[in-house]
Amino acid sequence: MNRVYIKTYGCQMNERDSEQVAVDLRNRGYSIVPHEDEADIVLLNTCSVRDQAEQKAIGKAGHLAVRKRKDPNFVLGILGCMAQNRGSELLDRLPDLDLVAGTQKFHRVPDHLDNLIASMNGQGPRPSSIIDLEEEAGSQNTINAHKPGERQVSAFVSIMQGCNMKCTFCIVPKTRGPERARPIDDIVAEVEELVANGTREVTLLGQIVSSYGRREIPFADKKSPFVQLLERLNAVEGLERIRFTSPHPRGFKDDLVQAYGELSKLCEYVHLPVQSGSDSILKAMNRPYTSGRYMELINDLRAVQPDIHISTDIIVGFPGESEEDFQLTCDLFKEAAFDMAFIFKYSPRSGTPAAELEDNVPQSVKDDRNQVLLRLLEQQSLRRNNSLVGTVQEILVEGPARKGEGMYMGRTRGFRKVIFPGSERLVGELVPVRIDESSVTTLKGQLEIVGVA
Ligand code: SAH
Ligand code: F3S
């Protein structure tokens, strides 16, 4: 009765939340299983950012509901963003759901499951669905633990929840609520514990990390709370690499740019969502910067760190996006020379300001623009990867590669994936690898034997 399968949709934040739920459930005596067939309880941790993501989870829940009808002791729950976004309306659509828990309620999941199971066993009132979607002060501080005894070479660390930006297309402020930061000391303690368990790299997560702590924590020495946090983490002994996702161009001030020159562990990689290269579309999106300002920021970063790898998010087909607007996005895409990008087709989200506008770019045009940018991305990514052939890169070895006997996988500081012949004892180590082959997504190489001429 206590085997749980958790399926996660969406972003890294969701992955991290699922990891926390798994830790909490294990501590409560549940076991986490890798396949849904083995599970008595299935939890879907969901995403609302685009309609497609919601439809996928609803479809899955529909299938699982069939099983629930055959086996009344089977427990089915929906967690996270779609739970928050759709709330009790989900029950109209999926009356067999046992649990609907929002984005501030992950830590309540063990209690809810205990109660559901107790009532199914006849030890409590007749089971009815549990819906838990309230805001909860301090909930950001509950995403703080990792699997004990299990080494994560690279780990996610949630530093804040929510977003106050109100981009007109975005459902996240509704699903994740207002910005709430965790204290610096708590985050440092979490990272120190990870490092004691063998972690070498952390990726700091938040919807808008450049705003981290701006209400709670004062500037110190002209440095924003986020840069103060980076400095503290840079000093953690045994930690080798720091990454974060995602900052906002608006909050990306000079102290953060300079951090790339000053903090040795901050990797030469930044994911900086631009969304569009057209100033009028940026304005309609309520993204408070111009393409010119964005390029300035990119150039400032390259001045401090010439080899920095830059990735971005782009939305094509926002209401009113003309051919000229799209062309400006292509121009910026080339000028910024992005070597990674997530390109999304605009999807109206009910309740957001943009949903009031007519979704007037035809699907076929969205598809075309998406393809154009994907092709550009392929070219740029390949060009960048080709430029690394012949160089020796510092690789953090994460584990065996999915394919190929004796092959191991790691990443460069610039976040490029590298496959090379290695061995188990290298996992968690930083090793020099000479790159001898490249494709759009992957580099291949050989360990560089230091000291042999
Ligand atoms: N600041 C967040 C953004 C979350 S949404 C972060 O941590 O990255 C991730 C990306 O999804 C956004 O940057 C945007 O490019 C895309 N997106 C958000 N809402 C969208 C919508 N309604 N339609 C299409 N893409 C969307
Ligand atoms: Fe969404 Fe914009 Fe915040 S994309 S998460 S409202 S910065």
Side-chain angles (χ1 to χ4, degrees):
M1 261 316 275
N2 69 357
R3 294 166 303 175
V4 184
Y5 173 68
I6 306 176
K7 182 167 176 64
T8 307
Y9 299 83
C11 65
Q12 292 118 319
M13 185 86 94
N14 285 10
E15 279 177 42
R16 175 70 193 107
D17 294 338
S18 291
E19 184 188 13
Q20 182 70 47
V21 172
V23 170
D24 292 346
L25 285 173
R26 278 200 188 137
N27 290 341
R28 195 63 75 82
Y30 290 82
S31 64
I32 306 296
V33 295
H35 301 290
E36 65 182 68
D37 312 335
E38 305 161 23
D40 313 297
I41 300 165
V42 173
L43 303 174
L44 306 180
N45 189 10
T46 55
C47 171
S48 288
V49 137
R50 284 169 301 281
D51 188 52
Q52 206 187 5
E54 286 202 344
Q55 293 312 327
K56 248 203 228 159
I58 288 175
K60 184 80 192 166
H63 278 296
L64 291 163
V66 177
R67 177 168 164 197
K68 167 102 191 153
R69 264 166 254 149
K70 286 190 207 132
D71 172 10
N73 284 330
F74 176 65
V75 175
L76 176 57
I78 289 195
L79 317 181
C81 284
M82 185 172 69
Q84 199 72 47
N85 188 32
R86 297 196 167 213
S88 49
E89 169 211 321
L90 273 175
L91 279 175
D92 302 338
R93 187 99 184 243
L94 299 159
D96 299 294
L97 282 181
D98 298 294
L99 172 63
V100 179
T103 53
Q104 308 200 20
K105 297 297 178 183
F106 291 111
H107 58 295
R108 303 275 174 209
V109 169
D111 284 346
H112 292 325
L113 291 185
D114 282 359
N115 289 336
L116 281 165
I117 289 166
S119 46
M120 280 171 178
N121 293 340
Q123 295 156 10
R126 229 169 58 87
S128 58
S129 310
I130 295 175
I131 300 177
D132 193 6
L133 302 167
E134 301 297 299
E135 285 191 13
E136 185 172 326
S139 63
Q140 72 274 23
N141 298 323
T142 63
I143 311 296
N144 62 358
H146 299 259
K147 290 171 198 157
E150 211 170 285
R151 181 183 194 186
Q152 296 174 290
V153 172
S154 179
F156 291 141
V157 174
S158 266
I159 63 168
M160 65 185 297
Q161 293 285 336
C163 181
N164 293 0
M165 277 312 275
K166 300 196 169 54
C167 302
T168 56
F169 52 79
C170 187
I171 195 75
V172 169
K174 177 178 173 198
T175 60
R176 289 276 172 177
E179 290 167 23
R180 290 107 57 215
R182 294 176 61 198
I184 290 181
D185 285 344
D186 288 14
I187 299 167
V188 172
E190 179 178 339
V191 171
E192 282 171 346
E193 204 174 314
L194 279 166
V195 169
N197 271 315
T199 294
R200 293 290 170 261
E201 172 181 280
V202 291
T203 302
L204 310 180
L205 300 179
Q207 301 294 348
I208 179 155
V209 292
S210 41
S211 295
Y212 166 80
R214 66 177 165 174
R215 262 160 231 82
E216 299 91 339
I217 304 165
F219 271 61
D221 209 10
K222 298 211 177 109
K223 285 175 184 151
S224 62
F226 185 55
V227 172
Q228 294 172 43
L229 172 64
L230 292 176
E231 287 182 343
R232 287 280 303 275
L233 294 177
N234 196 63
V236 172
E237 212 171 304
L239 182 67
E240 301 287 354
R241 292 175 168 190
I242 304 168
R243 307 181 188 283
F244 56 81
T245 194
S246 302
H248 191 295
R250 166 71 169 263
F252 212 112
K253 297 279 164 29
D254 202 49
D255 60 334
L256 186 48
V257 172
Q258 295 310 323
Y260 277 90
E262 287 161 12
L263 303 179
S264 61
K265 295 176 185 175
L266 189 55
C267 289
E268 293 74 33
Y269 171 83
V270 65
H271 179 68
L272 190 53
V274 67
Q275 314 297 359
S276 170
S278 154
D279 291 348
S280 63
I281 295 294
L282 286 171
K283 193 153 187 237
M285 288 174 161
N286 192 30
R287 299 283 296 186
Y289 53 86
T290 60
S291 59
R293 168 65 197 133
Y294 185 87
M295 275 314 304
E296 238 174 72
L297 189 48
I298 298 288
N299 292 331
D300 290 349
L301 280 162
R302 292 220 157 103
V304 172
Q305 220 23 285
D307 291 333
I308 196 164
H309 289 245
I310 298 173
S311 97
T312 201
D313 288 347
I314 286 185
I315 298 177
V316 294
F318 186 82
E321 185 187 64
S322 66
E323 204 44 56
E324 292 77 59
D325 291 319
F326 177 62
Q327 203 47 54
L328 290 167
T329 299
C330 294
D331 294 346
L332 179 126
F333 200 91
K334 291 180 214 160
E335 196 185 346
F338 295 122
D339 37 27
M340 241 312 282
F342 298 95
I343 298 151
F344 303 105
K345 291 176 253 183
Y346 173 68
S347 163
R349 310 310 296 129
S350 152
T352 62
E356 306 295 314
L357 306 170
E358 194 195 340
D359 182 16
N360 58 3
V361 178
Q363 190 59 40
S364 60
V365 175
K366 288 181 186 170
D367 289 340
D368 286 349
R369 291 179 183 170
N370 185 42
Q371 285 305 319
V372 168
L373 285 178
L374 285 175
R375 275 196 300 273
L376 264 182
L377 175 61
E378 272 186 15
Q379 290 167 12
Q380 293 181 183
S381 179
L382 184 60
R383 197 180 314 139
R384 187 71 193 262
N385 274 356
N386 284 343
S387 78
L388 297 176
V389 172
T391 65
V392 176
Q393 297 285 320
E394 178 202 274
I395 308 302
L396 176 62
V397 186
E398 291 182 24
R402 267 192 222 147
K403 277 191 236 157
E405 188 98 347
M407 300 301 275
Y408 280 73
M409 192 286 275
R411 288 187 190 267
T412 67
R413 284 178 58 106
F415 206 56
R416 303 313 311 215
K417 193 194 262 183
V418 180
I419 310 287
F420 65 99
S423 66
E424 195 55 36
R425 69 181 174 81
L426 296 179
V427 173
E429 300 293 321
L430 294 170
V431 298
V433 171
R434 183 172 291 278
I435 308 300
D436 51 27
E437 226 184 292
S438 73
S439 69
V440 171
T441 53
T442 316
L443 299 165
K444 288 189 181 147
Q446 308 289 332
L447 277 174
E448 179 85 345
I449 315 287
V450 187
V452 180

